[in-house]
């Protein structure tokens, strides 16, 4: 295939990536046929998946707006993916132009395109990194340059922890990130779940994702809630995506169909 200008030589265009599949489901333009094929296979078992991803993007918007409204001016977005309309920096800067945003993703195309969008801007950038290596990400010179860890930081993990298997200890990873922050910092998570969906369809979609892309670990509401242990959950707690402080127009008849839980919490000590 002909390589588009926005895909550098470091990008493997022969294998699907989670970030580009997400972009494909959102109707974006930064994906390849291999990603669209994988997206179609998964959606065949979960046709509601594009709606779920749009609901997740809406939660991102509301969560970032809430955090900025609480005085948070620094955001560490882990697993940030392909930039689309309604990125963290766009939302945060509407609330406070002084906000600083560090995007992190394992996919080189997500990082290179983020850097292209943010070229010439001092208050936001992107680095390539695996969120399972907190020390490397936190000690990266760009992270240290952009974020002041003596002040509160919002750690964002939107639709990414279900790619972290239990063997990699997602709760321990979260503790390491939060351990580097001061009281007043916050954690925002959205996470796919088997609850709320048809179990057989969800399991088949999970297996399809594992075969086509990468490991995928849906968790229960109780397991997702436990990821916030030691933090103070913001009302309404851990709920389905459309139920977290919905804006007018975000409401849905059956929030359970999103099969994804979301929550925001504050570190008090």
């Amino acid at each position: 295939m002909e390589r588009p200008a926005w895909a550098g030589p470091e990008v493997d265009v022969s294998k699907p990536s989670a970030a580009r599949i997400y972009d494909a489901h959102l109707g974006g333009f930064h994906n390849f046929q291999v990603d669209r094929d994988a997206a179609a296979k998964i959606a065949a078992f979960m046709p509601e998946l594009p709606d779920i991803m749009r609901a997740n993007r809406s939660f991102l918007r509301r969560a970032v707006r809430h955090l900025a409204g609480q005085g948070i001016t620094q955001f560490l977005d882990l697993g940030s993916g392909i930039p689309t309309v309604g990125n963290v920096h766009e939302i945060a800067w509407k609330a406070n132009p002084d906000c600083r945003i560090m995007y992190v993703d394992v996919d080189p195309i997500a990082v290179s395109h983020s850097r292209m969008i943010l070229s010439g801007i001092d208050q936001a950038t992107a680095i390539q990194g695996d969120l399972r290596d907190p020390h490397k990400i936190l000690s990266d010179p760009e992270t240290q340059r952009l974020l002041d860890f003596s002040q509160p930081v919002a750690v964002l993990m939107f639709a990414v922890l279900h790619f972290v298997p239990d063997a990699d200890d997602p709760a321990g990873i979260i503790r390491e990130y939060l351990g580097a922050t001061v009281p007043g910092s916050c954690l925002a998570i959205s996470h796919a779940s088997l609850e709320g969906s048809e179990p057989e369809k969800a399991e088949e979609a999970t297996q399809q994702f594992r075969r086509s892309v990468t490991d995928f670990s849906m968790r229960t509401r109780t397991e997702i809630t436990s990821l916030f242990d030691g933090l103070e959950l913001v009302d309404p707690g851990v709920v389905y995506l459309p139920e977290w402080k919905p804006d007018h127009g975000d409401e849905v008849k059956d929030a359970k169909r999103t099969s994804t839980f979301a929550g925001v919490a504050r570190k008090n000590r």
Side-chain angles (χ1 to χ4, degrees), residues 199-219:
E200 291 183 2
K201 281 188 175 182
E203 182 58 29
E204 180 56 41
T206 297
Q207 294 304 322
Q208 185 63 243
F209 207 102
R210 286 174 176 163
R211 288 191 295 268
S212 304
V213 191
T214 187
D215 204 348
F216 196 81
S217 301
M218 288 190 175
R219 296 183 170 95

Side-chain angles (χ1 to χ4, degrees), residues 84-100:
T84 58
V85 175
N87 285 320
V88 172
H89 68 274
E90 294 174 335
I91 299 158
W93 287 343
K94 284 182 181 179
N96 184 343
D98 294 328
C99 286
R100 287 171 284 172

Side-chain angles (χ1 to χ4, degrees), residues 108-259:
I109 197 169
V111 175
S112 62
H113 195 64
S114 295
R115 287 175 175 165
M116 182 178 69
I117 287 177
L118 300 168
S119 177
I121 298 173
D122 291 333
Q123 293 164 246
T125 191
I127 60 172
Q128 186 177 353
D130 190 325
L131 69 83
R132 294 173 295 181
D133 192 351
H135 175 74
K136 184 176 181 181
I137 290 171
L138 292 169
S139 62
D140 187 281
E142 282 293 276
T143 305
Q144 290 295 311
R145 177 189 68 82
L146 193 64
L147 302 181
D148 177 2
F149 285 91
S150 70
Q151 299 298 316
V153 175
V155 178
L156 311 178
M157 294 181 166
F158 296 121
V160 68
L161 287 173
H162 41 242
F163 299 120
V164 179
D166 290 342
D168 287 334
D169 188 15
I173 291 169
I174 290 171
R175 285 194 299 272
E176 193 164 346
Y177 283 111
L178 270 293
T181 67
V182 298
S185 296
C186 293
L187 172 68
I189 292 174
S190 61
H191 194 303
S193 176
L194 288 171
E195 296 182 31
S197 61
E198 296 180 44
E200 291 183 2
K201 281 188 175 182
E203 182 58 29
E204 180 56 41
T206 297
Q207 294 304 322
Q208 185 63 243
F209 207 102
R210 286 174 176 163
R211 288 191 295 268
S212 304
V213 191
T214 187
D215 204 348
F216 196 81
S217 301
M218 288 190 175
R219 296 183 170 95
T220 67
R221 184 178 193 168
T222 298
E223 290 171 326
I224 295 166
T225 302
S226 71
L227 297 174
F228 293 100
D229 282 356
L231 306 173
E232 180 187 2
L233 278 165
V234 172
D235 186 67
V238 177
V239 295
Y240 288 108
L241 287 170
E243 296 175 333
W244 200 90
K245 299 185 181 297
D247 289 331
H248 178 67
D250 287 341
E251 305 91 344
V252 297
K253 290 183 178 179
D254 187 3
K256 292 188 296 183
R257 287 181 60 83
T258 62
S259 307

